[in-house]
Amino acid sequence: MEPLAPMITTNPFDDDKLREECGIFGVSRAETASAIVALGLHALQHRGQEAAGITSWDGHDFHTHRAMGHVAGNFDRDEVIRGLPGDTACGHVRYSTTGETSLRNVQPLYAELNSGGFAIAHNGNISNAMKLRRELIRRGSIFQSTSDTEVIIHLVATSSYRTLLDKFIDALKQVEGAYSLIVMTPEGMIACRDPLGIRPLVMGNLGETTIFASETVALDVVGADYVRTIDPGELVIVTNDGQIRSHRPFGDTHPRPCIFEHVYFSRPDSIVDGSSVYSVRKAIGAQLAIENPVEADYVIPVPDSGVPAAIGYAQQSGIPFELGIIRSHYIGRTFIQPGDKVRHLGVKLKHNANRALIEGKRIVLIDDSIVRGTTSLKIVQMMREAGAAEVHMRIASPPTKHSCFYGVDTPERTKLLAHKLDVGGMQDFIHADSLSFISIDGLYKALGEAKRADIRPQYCDACFTGDYPTTLTDQDDVVVTNQLELLAERVV
C-alpha cells in the first residue's frame, strides 16, 4: 500500500496571498481579562492562523497558555480560561515571519527580569534583529526562541538605565523596523507603536477597562468603545490603579503606515488610521474602473478579499456585480489527499465557479493582488472551464515587485511574478484576455491623497515601489555576505 500524501491546504487561493503578519490584544483592569482577550483574538484570527497565546497577571503571578492552531479549540474551554486568572491579560495570534514554526516561538513571550515578570506580544518585524542577537549572545545572553521579539526582552534586561520604562525606551531606540507591542509588567501595561507607525494599534475602553488591539473590529466584538489610534512613536502606559500616561520618546516623526492594511490585511469592518477599510476598498475599485475600463457582462470578485473592490468597480463602471465564484465556509483547512487526481479536485472544495451565471459571458475578475501568480492562473482556468467567453482581470493594488521586511511574510523577490515579468508577460502567464492594475497614484487617490508624494509619501508602499522607509541592516548583511561568498567562489 502506498503511503498517503502529506496534508496540504484545500484552499487554492490562500496559498498565493501575502500572509497577515500577527494580531495583538491587551486588557487592563477587567474581571476575567483573559476571557475578553480570547474574544478579541477571535476577531483578529485573520491576522494569524498558525498559533495563539494568552498571558495574564493576577497581582502576584503571571500565567501563560500558548498553543499551535486557531483560537477556537484552544481558548474556548473553561479550564483554559480559569488557568489564566487576573484582571490584566494580553494575547497574540501568529503567522511566523521570523523564527521557525514551533511552540517556543508562540507569543506572548515571557521572562523574569530583575524588575519582575515581563510579557510581550509583538506585531511586526525587527529588521536588525539578527545583528542585535549576535551582539547580545557575545555579551552572554541566552536565547530561548528564534523569534525577533525576544531580542527586545534581552535589550531591556541588559539596559543600564534605572527604571523599567527607561530600559524599555532604551531597547526600542536600538531596534529598526516595524512593531506594535503590548507589554505586561507588575507595574502595569504598556502599548506602543514604532516611530513610523508601520503596524497598526488602537485603544478602546469598556467602562473602566482599557483595551489595546491591532484593529477596531476586535473592540467591536468585545463591546468596547473606540477611543483613538495609538500614534506612531507613542507609548501609552496603564498603571494598575487605572492611570493612563502617554510618552513620546522619539520626537517628531513622519508616519508611514502600511498601505496594504487598507488593500488586504485588515478586516473590512475595521477602521484603520481613521478610514473605513470597506469604504477605502470600494474607492480603490472605483478608481480601478476609471483607470482600467473594459467591456464585459459581469464584475466578479475573487472571494472574499476582492468583494469590496469589485462592488466599487461595478458601481463606477455600470457593469453588474455578480457572485461568479461561490465559496464554501464549511470545509476544514486541510485534508489528506491520496493522489494527484484527488489533489486536483480538491481545489474546488472551498471555491467553485457559478457555471450557470458564467457560461458564455464576458467577465471581469477583481482581486486584491497578484503574488506568485499561481492563484490567478487557477482562477482564470476555473472561469474558462465554466464556459466564460472572455476573462479579464483587474487588480486592486499595483504590481507587487518587492519583498516586505516589516512583518509580512512575502516570498523571495525572485518568486514574485511582477518582479520577473511585465504586465503583458503576467497576462500571458495567467492566460487572461487582459490584465490591469491600479496605479500607485490611483491607490493614493482612493486613500484620500492627491497622488503619491515622491519626496514624502504618506504610507509604506515598499512592496510596490521598493521605497523602504527604514534601514534594513540584516537584509544588507545577507546581501554583502552573499556577494563575498560569490567573489570567493570566483577567486577559487
Side-chain angles (χ1 to χ4, degrees):
M1 178 173 158
E2 293 182 358
L4 295 177
M7 302 283 279
I8 69 168
T9 181
T10 60
N11 187 348
F13 304 152
D14 286 349
D15 288 347
D16 193 28
K17 294 290 186 182
L18 300 181
R19 300 289 186 172
E20 306 97 319
E21 340 103 41
C22 299
I24 57 177
F25 191 91
V27 172
S28 177
R29 290 168 49 84
E31 292 186 17
T32 63
S34 58
I36 298 175
V37 171
L39 289 174
L41 293 182
H42 272 287
L44 298 175
Q45 186 72 85
H46 61 287
R47 299 185 72 89
Q49 297 91 48
E50 185 177 276
I54 296 177
T55 297
S56 69
W57 162 249
D58 64 8
H60 300 283
D61 299 301
F62 287 84
H63 309 268
T64 296
H65 183 79
R66 300 180 297 165
M68 305 303 296
H70 288 190
V71 179
N74 286 312
F75 293 95
D76 53 3
R77 303 193 305 274
D78 289 342
E79 61 269 23
V80 173
I81 298 302
R82 285 198 301 267
L84 297 166
D87 66 357
T88 302
C90 69
H92 186 274
V93 289
R94 180 177 194 257
Y95 184 87
S96 61
T97 56
T98 62
E100 79 247 13
T101 301
S102 66
L103 192 59
R104 67 174 177 159
N105 286 329
V106 179
Q107 300 183 34
L109 297 183
Y110 176 78
E112 287 284 348
L113 306 185
N114 187 50
S115 56
F118 187 93
I120 182 170
H122 171 209
N123 168 213
N125 193 52
I126 306 304
S127 58
N128 65 334
M130 289 192 295
K131 180 180 180 181
L132 291 172
R133 184 187 182 98
R134 289 193 298 267
E135 294 172 353
L136 287 162
I137 290 174
R138 280 197 295 267
R139 287 156 49 189
S141 292
I142 300 172
F143 281 75
Q144 301 298 315
S145 76
T146 58
S147 170
D148 62 335
T149 308
E150 192 179 357
V151 168
I152 299 174
I153 297 177
H154 287 277
L155 289 174
V156 173
T158 58
S159 173
S160 60
Y161 283 82
R162 186 177 62 84
T163 69
L164 178 61
L165 178 60
D166 287 339
K167 289 175 181 288
F168 185 53
I169 292 172
D170 179 41
L172 295 183
K173 287 185 176 180
Q174 297 179 62
V175 302
E176 302 168 357
Y179 55 82
S180 285
L181 303 172
I182 296 176
V183 171
M184 288 168 48
T185 77
E187 300 175 14
M189 178 173 284
I190 306 172
C192 67
R193 201 171 171 200
D194 67 76
L196 296 178
I198 297 174
R199 301 266 69 88
L201 191 64
V202 298
M203 180 169 67
N205 60 34
L206 184 61
E208 295 183 354
T209 299
T210 300
I211 299 176
F212 301 101
S214 292
E215 293 185 37
T216 60
V217 65
L219 302 177
D220 298 337
V221 166
V222 302
D225 295 321
Y226 168 74
V227 175
R228 66 180 180 88
T229 295
I230 304 301
D231 290 335
E234 181 185 17
L235 281 72
V236 177
I237 301 171
V238 184
T239 61
N240 292 328
D241 59 2
Q243 296 183 51
I244 299 176
R245 302 195 307 269
S246 174
H247 294 261
R248 300 174 187 270
F250 300 102
D252 293 334
T253 63
H254 175 60
R256 293 279 299 273
C258 174
I259 203 167
F260 225 91
E261 291 286 347
H262 295 281
V263 174
Y264 174 66
F265 292 139
S266 296
R267 269 181 44 164
D269 44 346
S270 280
I271 306 294
V272 174
D273 293 319
S275 298
S276 160
V277 174
Y278 178 77
S279 297
V280 167
R281 288 179 186 168
K282 282 182 62 180
I284 291 173
Q287 183 64 28
L288 183 61
I290 293 171
E291 293 183 357
N292 302 291
V294 65
E295 292 186 6
D297 299 302
Y298 296 131
V299 173
I300 293 175
V302 177
D304 286 325
S305 57
V307 172
I311 293 172
Y313 192 102
Q315 291 176 347
Q316 177 65 40
S317 66
I319 302 171
F321 171 94
E322 293 286 355
L323 297 179
I325 302 173
I326 306 302
R327 177 180 177 183
S328 170
H329 294 267
Y330 305 102
I331 303 297
R333 287 180 61 82
T334 58
F335 78 110
I336 295 175
Q337 300 192 22
D340 289 339
K341 183 176 181 180
V342 178
R343 189 189 311 273
H344 177 71
L345 295 175
V347 302
K348 296 186 178 180
L349 281 177
K350 277 195 174 181
H351 296 80
N352 192 40
N354 187 354
R355 180 179 292 273
L357 174 79
I358 292 170
E359 192 166 14
K361 297 296 191 295
R362 302 167 300 170
I363 62 172
V364 186
L365 290 169
I366 308 294
D367 204 356
D368 58 83
S369 61
I370 291 181
V371 183
R372 292 180 178 88
T374 53
T375 291
S376 302
L377 178 62
K378 291 175 183 177
I379 298 168
V380 172
Q381 180 182 358
M382 184 184 292
M383 298 296 99
R384 301 281 193 204
E385 292 174 351
E390 296 177 11
V391 182
H392 304 274
M393 200 146 199
R394 298 293 180 267
I395 307 300
S397 63
T400 303
K401 298 181 178 180
H402 306 272
S403 297
C404 176
F405 302 102
Y406 300 121
V408 180
D409 184 44
T410 52
E412 295 176 8
R413 188 180 179 192
T414 56
K415 296 181 181 178
L416 295 169
L417 191 65
H419 172 70
K420 298 185 290 186
L421 301 171
D422 60 14
V423 174
M426 297 173 73
Q427 177 182 322
D428 293 339
F429 178 85
I430 66 174
H431 302 312
D433 291 290
S434 71
L435 170 67
S436 297
F437 297 78
I438 193 171
S439 67
I440 189 68
D441 284 346
L443 181 58
Y444 271 79
K445 186 174 181 179
L447 284 158
E449 306 291 337
K451 60 181 294 187
R452 184 186 192 273
D454 293 331
I455 299 175
R456 299 188 71 181
Q458 302 301 306
Y459 295 90
C460 176
D461 52 23
C463 52
F464 308 132
T465 65
D467 178 12
Y468 295 99
T470 74
T471 53
L472 300 171
T473 298
D474 290 343
Q475 182 64 21
D476 292 340
D477 287 348
V478 169
V479 171
V480 170
T481 300
N482 290 341
Q483 290 174 340
L484 290 175
E485 289 177 351
L486 182 60
L487 180 61
E489 290 175 2
R490 289 174 177 172
V491 170
V492 172

